[in-house]
Amino acid sequence: MHPVIEWKDNQVLMLDQRLLPLEEKLVVHRHYSEVADSIRRMVIRGAPAIGVAAAMGVALGVVNAGRDVDSQFPRIIDTLTATRPTAVNLFWALERMRKVFDAHRNSGDDLAAIMIREAQAMDREDVATNRRLGALGAHLLKDGDRVLTHCNAGALATAGYGTALGVIRAAVEQGKQISVWADETRPFLQGARLTTWELMRDGIAVTLITDSMAGSLMRKGVIDAVIVGADRIARNGDVANKIGTYSVAVLARHHGIPFYVAAPMSTVDPQISNGDEIPIEERDPDEVRTFRQIRVANTDVPVFNPAFDVTPHELVSAIITEKGVARGDLYTALGGWLTG
Ligand code: MRU
């Protein structure tokens, strides 16, 4: 598989996730506004991957701005900020790039080279973070576990390895037999198109189901655990993730099944005390009315298309981060790790 995102010869290459699994095609970005467009249109998606893309977008902007960088920098940041509102990794990454810019802008150093290095460091760090949280979370899974996941929180949603799928990969690397139930994840079908694709490539057993089948499978007793990723976690442990996650969490609680969230600490938003404050993106109604340009509903039917929902912390059994596994009093654990 081509890397999800890569900096090469002052260009940003991305695997076009809209085309998977039918086609593996790279999109080449030469301007920061093209990167912003690709984030908005979901060429790249998944919270940590969006963060790395934004950082590389800033680096591209600085490279192209040349001597005008001081006047152009605010517009570069604003354009990338306005792409998608929910995944906090985007804003975390932009803030980190802004700090590096401010620290070096008048230093006489090669600013473009420094910004490229920082974006590439974020790319590498994300993979290392996922491996760490994967190893920590893998202890929660037993040999033989059948694990349900929603959306795609895998290698494709990150710089590599994945968060929720990283935990599963790490458990498999420990020698455990793990099989996965993948929700298809309407309307964008990240589960059907992306999760099954990357797990099958790794030889990890996966079965695709429609979103509405999860409850019945839980009742049958064939799901041992649920693991999902996150787009933003409030200080109290409330979790914003792909629409449908909340329903799965309610079902898991009803059936006494552990519900785990796997995410890097860059997904925890220290500014937000609870999930009600998390902005939820609403996307184009045609994502629901059509599938790959084929109409599946009346063209003028009113549609509500929120891309995310919030799962309250009471329904979360544990949050798996690279700093540790937070259980019980999530507020204290997450707060301590944020300041520590
Ligand atoms: O709309 P998307 O595809 O960007 O949504 C992705 C998700 O909801 C993922 O579960 C989340 O970003 C975690 S990715 C490691």
Side-chain angles (χ1 to χ4, degrees):
M1 181 177 114
H2 184 273
V4 170
I5 184 162
E6 187 185 9
W7 180 277
K8 199 171 181 187
D9 305 330
N10 286 350
Q11 298 173 339
V12 178
L13 309 185
M14 292 179 200
L15 191 58
D16 191 340
Q17 300 196 26
R18 299 167 307 174
L19 304 179
L20 292 172
L22 304 181
E23 227 182 304
E24 277 182 57
K25 200 171 143 197
L26 291 181
V27 181
V28 180
H29 304 79
R30 298 185 178 84
H31 194 268
Y32 74 88
S33 63
E34 295 169 348
V35 172
D37 224 42
S38 279
I39 295 173
R40 196 175 305 108
R41 294 191 300 141
M42 292 174 66
V43 169
I44 193 163
R45 32 63 54 200
I50 291 171
V52 174
M56 289 195 184
V58 174
L60 206 49
V62 171
V63 168
N64 291 330
R67 289 169 174 276
D68 290 337
V69 70
D70 272 330
S71 64
Q72 288 192 26
F73 195 75
R75 184 137 46 95
I76 296 169
I77 295 287
D78 289 352
T79 306
L80 288 157
T81 298
T83 50
R84 296 192 72 191
T86 304
V88 76
N89 306 61
L90 174 83
F91 311 107
W92 171 86
L94 291 173
E95 191 48 34
R96 182 163 154 179
M97 293 300 279
R98 186 208 299 277
K99 279 192 183 139
V100 173
F101 178 79
D102 285 343
H104 293 275
R105 61 197 291 187
N106 296 320
S107 65
D109 299 336
D110 183 345
L111 192 55
I114 289 168
M115 299 298 277
I116 294 169
R117 266 206 303 279
E118 189 70 11
Q120 287 177 315
M122 285 161 84
D123 189 39
R124 279 193 307 275
E125 284 168 24
D126 187 54
V127 181
T129 296
N130 294 336
R131 286 196 175 270
R132 206 153 44 238
L133 74 84
L136 290 171
H139 296 291
L140 299 169
L141 298 182
K142 299 182 303 301
D143 188 28
D145 269 358
R146 298 152 298 179
V147 181
L148 178 86
T149 190
H150 189 74
C151 194
N152 172 265
L156 288 165
T158 61
Y161 202 69
T163 55
L165 298 192
V167 172
I168 290 167
R169 285 196 166 96
V172 170
E173 284 164 17
Q174 290 174 356
K176 294 172 186 162
Q177 285 279 347
I178 304 290
S179 57
V180 178
W181 296 104
D183 278 351
E184 67 171 349
T185 318
R186 277 279 291 154
F188 213 73
L189 301 181
Q190 291 94 331
R193 297 189 302 101
L194 308 176
T195 295
T196 61
W197 183 75
E198 63 167 269
L199 289 177
M200 287 178 82
R201 287 174 72 107
D202 274 11
I204 296 174
V206 57
T207 304
L208 175 64
I209 57 171
T210 67
D211 299 341
S212 53
M213 294 172 188
S216 146
L217 291 182
M218 288 182 186
R219 189 169 161 80
K220 280 194 169 78
V222 297
I223 295 176
D224 302 299
V226 177
I227 305 186
V228 297
D231 289 87
R232 196 185 296 223
I233 301 174
R235 283 203 313 270
N236 70 344
D238 290 353
V239 173
N241 191 48
K242 179 53 54 195
I243 189 75
T245 302
Y246 170 62
S247 317
V248 174
V250 171
L251 286 167
R253 175 55 54 94
H254 180 76
H255 292 91
I257 297 167
F259 178 89
Y260 301 122
V261 174
M265 286 301 290
S266 53
T267 301
V268 181
D269 186 347
Q271 320 287 347
I272 293 234
S273 62
N274 71 75
D276 293 341
E277 297 167 27
I278 299 176
I280 301 293
E281 175 184 14
E282 280 185 39
R283 293 189 60 86
D284 184 346
D286 277 342
E287 285 182 0
V288 180
R289 292 192 196 110
T290 63
F291 176 68
R292 288 195 196 274
Q293 272 125 43
I294 299 169
R295 196 150 63 80
V296 295
N298 277 345
T299 38
D300 52 356
V301 65
V303 165
F304 179 47
N305 186 20
F308 303 97
D309 59 25
V310 173
T311 298
H313 62 276
E314 304 85 48
L315 297 178
V316 177
S317 310
I319 297 183
I320 304 157
T321 77
E322 73 276 23
K323 298 248 179 151
V325 177
R327 281 184 181 274
D329 186 358
L330 297 171
Y331 191 94
T332 309
L334 294 175
W337 292 337
L338 278 169
T339 49

